[in-house]
Amino acid sequence: MIELLRRFGGKFRRYMVIGPACKLIEVIFDLLTPLVIAQMIDKGIGAHDVSAVIHYGMVLGAMAVIGISFTLVCQKMAALTSQGMGTDIRGALYKHINKLSYAELDRFGTPSLITRITNDVNQVQLAVALGVRMLIRWPFLAVGSMCAALAIDLKLGIIFLICTPAIGLVFWVVMARCIPYYKQLQAKLDRIALICREGLSGARVVRAFVREDHERERFAQAADDQANTAIAVGKLSSILNPVTFLVMNLGVCAILWVGGIQVSVGELTQGQVMAFVNYMTQTLTSIVYVANLVVVFTKASASASRINEVLNCEPSITDEDNEPVALPQAPATDVDAPVSALSLSHTSFSFGAGAANAVNDVTLELPLGKTLGIIGGTGSGKSTLVSLIPRLYDASTGSVSVMGADVRTWPLDQLRHVVATVPQRASLVSGTIRSNLTWRDESATDEELWAALDMAQASEFVRNKPQGLDAPVEAGGKNFSGGQRQRLTIARALVGSPQILIMDDSASALDFKTDAALRHAIRERSMRGAAEGELPLTTVIVSQRVSTVRDADMICVLDHGSVAGLGTHDELYATCQLYREICQSQLRREELEGQQGSAAPASVPSPASAPAAPASTCAKEGC
Ligand SMILES: Nc1ncnc2c1ncn2[C@@H]1O[C@H](COP(=O)(O)OP(=O)(O)O)[C@@H](O)[C@H]1O
Ligand SMILES: [Mg+2]
């Protein structure tokens, strides 16, 4: 909490001084009130002097008005500080989270980051507001009332001195048990957020698989777990108020009894006894409020440490001091194109210490303007491998170079502008088609946007929309079909003239004809660019379909993160058993029989009997 105050409180220092100062004035009036009431009782009511009662009544009224005015100022200061700090912390968190690499985002998890940015910041905000308003008030009122009461009568003060530690003890015992629960509560809230997010974002799949009951059960368990902890804390802290008020009221009884005797022997006036009772009530109530403050601050400090954990997490992928990389000149002819657009040298990557390598010792080189196809079963490391190119993850060992320069030496903005990625999951955000297409280049003209849509085979359905490029896109692009979403994300990657285009299984929802038309359009654009003296477009196509990668200049067959084969379709068909098995499971008999120099086996399965997924075994010796 202190760390957050130090980081974000500076701007609000003025408010944090003015607010409590105003509160202090209100507290002084609160402390004087019992004395004025005592005078009113003794000089007015006791002496049957109505004018004295009116006089002291007016004094009380004036004190109340002044007190309220200062309270209002304090309230405003508290609101400005807490809301301002909350906004700043949220902004800083959001900015910092955007700087974190995938590795750190994986570690925290999206639901937890959302809870931290919302609920945890709210807890801190609440504590700051209470701090400005109450941190001075209650302790000052408690001590001030105690001193004023003791000044009235020391003998009655003994009752006071017994009650105060008794309440303190109850409070200490209860709080010591409650505090550990507050930390657990936040973690349990994270779990609820996680289940909510999974259940709601996958609502269609949940319904398709009739898993509603299972999801409801999972949510109910998490909610019950959180509720049980909250109830346990509630039960414990519910002891606080009755016990403190019991002690307080017993104390008041004792004072009235002893005070009554002293009044009857003339040692104290009635007004003094009333003032004493008021001070005692004020002190003990203040202690209860201080207890509540401690609860709020304990919760806030658990939240603050979760916020600091994110803010102090250094992004593992940075580009400080990286100078812009000079792009190679476009080759005059095909023959003199020695520059490699992409090269991986003994590249390995694992998602965490102790985890198996998701990418294992991959070495390959792709010349400028060529197409690399990556094929392999689910979980073979295709997405992980391509995410190393725009540096979404850093390779654990080995290196990845783009245009001859190690990706670690590129400024990230430049690298991610040169390398355009179409992720496996098409993601669109709410806005318009135009606002979704201009992510890479905000100044792109309509002509450029239509050209990209044409290439991505998306122009037809966009043209059919009455608003065209300004047609609305709902959150997550849910008003488009899966295939339309994919085509729009492909078009988005093509805007802003990338030099390397990575499509991670991006054509999976496209029919074969559209998929082929898309690849043809990309190849044409690459050739046209080269003819016009631009750098030719280099393409990396990840797919589970042989038909999508078979025309690539080079195909990389991945198996459990390792390269099982590297070469052209014909070469691989002849030499790599895993690739051959994938082909046999997907291509038609005529297509397989047409293999040049192929090592096609005598028995080729017909498409009807072909397994849906490629076989997972790989005879590496054959590759
Ligand atoms: N964020 C992640 N954290 C931990 N493991 C992961 C993560 N993403 C992928 N993996 C693991 O890495 C392996 C390769 O995954 P991936 O590259 O997505 O495969 P593919 O794209 O070929 O289907 C899989 O075993 C998968 O479980
Ligand atoms: Mg994948």
Side-chain angles (χ1 to χ4, degrees), residues 43 80 86 110 152 175 210 356 367 376 415 434 452 488 578 587:
K43 296 197 178 147
L80 286 173
T110 312
I152 293 174
M175 285 320 295
V210 201
L415 177 68
R434 187 195 303 280
L488 288 176
L578 175 59
L587 298 183

Side-chain angles (χ1 to χ4, degrees), residues 106 351 358 376-385 393 424 504 542 544:
D106 287 348
F351 278 101
T378 307
S380 56
K382 304 183 295 296
S383 297
T384 312
L385 177 66
Y393 291 105
Q424 189 163 6
D504 185 359
V542 173
Q544 298 202 34

Side-chain angles (χ1 to χ4, degrees), residues 22 27 40 52 92 114 204 214 233 298 311 366 373-374 396 427 435 440 465 477 510:
C22 290
V27 171
M40 196 186 204
I114 293 174
R204 284 163 195 244
H214 176 264
V233 189
T298 312
L311 290 175
L366 183 68
I374 301 177
S396 316
S427 74
S435 69
R440 288 174 39 82
K465 300 227 167 241
L510 304 188

Side-chain angles (χ1 to χ4, degrees), residues 225-452:
D225 192 24
Q226 205 256 359
N228 289 341
T229 311
I231 290 169
V233 189
K235 273 188 188 156
L236 269 174
S237 51
S238 68
I239 303 171
L240 263 183
N241 278 4
V243 174
T244 41
F245 281 103
L246 178 73
V247 175
M248 198 159 84
N249 289 327
L250 285 176
V252 170
C253 291
I255 286 169
L256 289 177
W257 189 359
V258 179
I261 297 168
Q262 281 177 296
V263 170
S264 64
V265 296
E267 274 182 28
L268 280 176
T269 64
Q270 283 172 358
Q272 280 174 319
V273 174
M274 281 321 292
F276 202 97
V277 169
N278 279 341
Y279 281 131
M280 167 137 165
T281 322
Q282 236 167 22
T283 308
L284 300 184
T285 322
S286 306
I287 292 175
V288 174
Y289 279 111
V290 170
N292 288 334
L293 274 186
V294 173
V295 172
V296 172
F297 280 110
T298 312
K299 280 187 188 169
S301 94
S303 289
S305 58
R306 282 159 54 90
I307 293 171
N308 283 326
E309 196 188 351
V310 177
L311 290 175
N312 293 337
C313 171
E314 288 295 327
S316 58
I317 293 181
T318 55
D319 61 352
E320 272 164 40
D321 306 329
N322 285 356
E323 294 292 331
V325 173
L327 293 182
Q329 293 300 311
T333 64
D334 257 7
V335 188
D336 51 57
V339 182
S340 77
L342 177 67
S343 95
L344 278 79
S345 166
H346 299 290
T347 309
S348 297
F349 174 81
S350 109
F351 278 101
N357 278 350
V359 171
N360 191 33
D361 197 21
V362 174
T363 299
L364 60 85
E365 187 148 349
L366 183 68
L368 209 58
K370 301 290 179 196
T371 303
L372 168 71
I374 301 177
I375 192 164
T378 307
S380 56
K382 304 183 295 296
S383 297
T384 312
L385 177 66
V386 293
S387 63
L388 301 176
I389 303 169
R391 228 185 145 201
L392 299 178
Y393 291 105
D394 263 342
S396 316
T397 56
S399 67
V400 178
S401 300
V402 166
M403 304 293 175
D406 192 310
V407 287
R408 293 184 181 91
T409 63
W410 282 74
L412 283 173
D413 282 357
Q414 193 196 5
L415 177 68
R416 290 172 190 172
H417 194 76
V418 166
V419 180
T421 312
V422 186
Q424 189 163 6
R425 263 191 62 194
S427 74
L428 298 174
V429 294
S430 54
T432 60
I433 292 184
R434 187 195 303 280
S435 69
N436 270 280
L437 290 187
T438 49
W439 278 20
R440 288 174 39 82
D441 180 7
E442 294 204 343
S443 60
T445 60
D446 280 11
E447 204 183 323
E448 286 168 288
L449 299 185
W450 282 115

Side-chain angles (χ1 to χ4, degrees), residues 539-583:
T539 319
V540 178
I541 302 178
V542 173
S543 182
Q544 298 202 34
R545 285 191 199 160
V546 175
S547 60
T548 306
V549 295
R550 66 180 295 168
D551 296 331
D553 299 296
M554 186 198 292
I555 301 171
C556 171
V557 186
L558 276 186
D559 182 33
H560 293 101
S562 302
V563 177
L566 195 61
T568 61
H569 171 74
D570 290 340
E571 284 164 8
L572 288 172
Y573 195 83
T575 57
C576 177
Q577 185 171 346
L578 175 59
Y579 186 71
R580 205 160 45 237
E581 283 171 7
I582 298 174
C583 290

Side-chain angles (χ1 to χ4, degrees), residues 42-123:
D42 291 343
K43 296 197 178 147
I45 300 169
H48 301 288
D49 182 351
V50 178
S51 64
V53 172
I54 293 171
H55 169 75
Y56 286 112
M58 282 167 68
V59 172
L60 281 178
M63 282 167 65
V65 171
I66 298 170
I68 285 175
S69 315
F70 280 105
T71 308
L72 287 177
V73 176
C74 172
Q75 209 83 348
K76 175 153 185 170
M77 297 296 131
L80 286 173
T81 314
S82 65
Q83 294 302 325
M85 261 182 80
T87 310
D88 287 357
I89 297 174
R90 243 178 242 125
L93 269 175
Y94 192 74
K95 199 167 155 205
H96 192 73
I97 289 169
N98 275 303
K99 278 197 220 151
L100 297 179
S101 75
Y102 273 32
E104 288 90 47
L105 294 179
D106 287 348
R107 180 155 69 78
F108 287 112
T110 312
S112 173
L113 288 172
I114 293 174
T115 330
R116 287 171 206 234
I117 228 172
T118 50
N119 185 282
D120 285 308
V121 175
N122 279 354
Q123 298 286 356

